[in-house]
Amino acid sequence: MIETTKRSAAMEHPLFPGFLVEDIQTTGATIRTLRMGSGPPLLLLHGYPQTHVIWHKIAGRLAEHCTVILADLRGYGDSTKPDGGARHENYSFRAMARDQLEVMRHFGHERFFVAAHDRGARTAHPLCLDHPEAVRKVCFMDIVPTLRMYRDTSKEFATKYMWWFFLIQAAPLPEHMIGADLEFFLEQHFAMQNGTPGALTEEALREYRRCFCTPEAIHASCEDYRAAAEIDLEMDEADEKAGRKVEATILALWGSQGAIGKLWSVLDVWRQHANGTVEGRALDCGHYLAEEQPQEVLRELLRFFNDS
């Protein structure tokens, strides 16, 4: 049975006034959630090396129209960090997708919208494949499918996304090297990905440092990438062989200054992986869309999810 431990109002983060903080026990982890609003349910998922805080500039506005549920992926933020398993299977995107399905069911939402960025979007992808009845519409931010990205690896991609190849190395090599200078690693990662100086606020950066700068969090995030390069690819290949595609309507957004739009024709790629409608566009920013271009992201999400 999934149980809930409610956090007191004193634990509400100042970046999310009015949101109720709860920890939801799933079958594989304890997931930190924040919730506010009424109307159609909307699940928001973050990427690496961040937390639900990526949504702090727009979550309150979205909650004026939707029941907004923000969640930390397992291994990130204030969610628990289970053992990865022999093949890192506990950090597969399917395992993380099950967490989020159980979270939404706990709150009574059998069918819902999803907007997700980076690793969160890679979690949303198998959520759509495995549970097409649950996802009404999905917004994928700054990704194309993982299998496609690994297959299309080039010098430019390997350079711009070097952590895809660094973090998958066997433990404890990346954990030790990151741990040797945590602050430097985070600063360099954000600098490489951010296209809008000042977009990542000091308040948000403090939260990212707090949540990422522990041995447990570093190891868990490496397990996420190891799973993506091993067991996830096998499952992706099986999905491809079976002809499984996303049934939900897709909105794809990406940063014009980032690598994704420069290396792939994003809409064309997603149309190859979808049975339904695919729409979207580039925003004038780097990787961190919701922090670099919050008003544009808010406008796109409200338009997309209200047009139902």
Side-chain angles (χ1 to χ4, degrees):
M1 178 179 293
I2 302 173
E3 299 177 350
T4 304
T5 301
K6 291 191 176 182
R7 300 294 179 170
S8 68
M11 289 194 66
E12 291 184 7
H13 196 281
L15 291 174
F16 296 92
F19 278 77
L20 177 64
V21 181
E22 299 179 73
D23 288 345
I24 308 301
Q25 182 65 51
T26 71
T27 54
T30 302
I31 302 299
R32 170 60 55 88
T33 69
L34 284 78
R35 178 169 53 97
M36 190 172 78
S38 59
L42 169 60
L43 173 65
L44 300 178
L45 299 175
H46 66 89
Y48 174 93
Q50 298 171 292
T51 72
H52 67 268
V53 169
I54 71 164
W55 306 106
H56 73 98
K57 294 181 180 180
I58 64 173
R61 292 288 305 280
L62 287 169
E64 296 172 6
H65 304 268
C66 302
T67 300
V68 173
I69 296 170
L70 306 97
D72 286 340
L73 300 172
R74 68 164 65 184
Y76 291 86
D78 289 307
S79 292
T80 55
K81 296 152 182 71
D83 178 78
R87 299 194 64 210
H88 325 293
E89 64 273 10
N90 293 329
Y91 285 91
S92 71
F93 291 126
R94 280 195 156 81
M96 291 197 276
R98 284 195 299 271
D99 286 336
Q100 302 308 324
L101 181 71
E102 292 180 11
V103 163
M104 295 305 282
R105 286 178 172 172
H106 170 81
F107 289 123
H109 306 308
E110 293 291 336
R111 190 161 166 77
F112 47 88
F113 298 130
V114 183
H117 176 251
D118 190 78
R119 310 308 282 184
R122 299 188 190 285
T123 297
H125 188 191
L127 178 61
C128 291
L129 294 178
D130 293 347
H131 304 281
E133 76 289 348
V135 180
R136 294 177 61 186
K137 288 185 172 183
V138 60
C139 176
F140 295 123
M141 296 190 188
D142 217 50
I143 73 160
V144 294
T146 307
L147 179 61
R148 179 63 178 269
M149 291 178 71
Y150 270 121
R151 280 181 174 169
D152 291 351
T153 292
S154 62
K155 177 179 180 293
E156 185 175 8
F157 171 58
T159 301
K160 292 182 176 180
Y161 270 53
M162 54 80 64
W163 47 90
W164 273 47
F165 306 92
F166 170 56
L167 298 178
I168 68 176
Q169 302 303 313
L173 176 64
E175 288 92 338
H176 179 81
M177 295 179 71
I178 295 168
D181 196 337
L182 283 164
E183 296 278 345
F184 177 80
F185 179 82
L186 271 183
E187 288 173 2
Q188 291 300 304
H189 186 90
F190 289 139
M192 289 175 68
Q193 295 277 73
N194 182 25
T196 309
L200 276 66
T201 67
E202 186 51 46
E203 294 83 0
L205 288 169
R206 276 199 298 270
E207 274 296 282
Y208 301 148
R209 287 191 292 265
R210 178 184 71 83
C211 292
F212 184 79
C213 292
T214 70
E216 296 77 15
I218 296 166
H219 177 64
S221 64
C222 290
E223 289 292 277
D224 166 14
Y225 279 82
R226 290 171 183 136
E230 187 174 333
I231 193 167
D232 274 318
L233 290 185
E234 293 177 9
M235 291 188 283
D236 291 346
E237 289 168 349
D239 286 337
E240 181 182 63
K241 185 176 181 179
R244 301 178 74 210
K245 297 184 179 184
V246 176
E247 301 293 337
T249 301
I250 294 172
L251 172 65
L253 299 175
W254 64 96
S256 63
Q257 300 174 40
I260 297 298
K262 293 177 181 177
L263 297 176
W264 288 275
S265 176
V266 178
L267 296 182
D268 288 343
V269 172
W270 277 114
R271 286 173 181 139
Q272 295 168 25
H273 290 264
N275 284 329
T277 303
V278 177
E279 60 180 273
R281 66 184 180 96
L283 304 184
D284 183 17
C285 61
H287 182 57
Y288 304 114
L289 280 66
E291 292 174 285
E292 295 185 55
Q293 286 285 0
Q295 294 308 311
E296 287 296 304
V297 170
L298 178 65
R299 186 177 300 112
E300 288 288 342
L301 294 184
L302 290 178
R303 177 197 61 79
F304 181 62
F305 293 129
N306 284 339
D307 182 21
S308 300

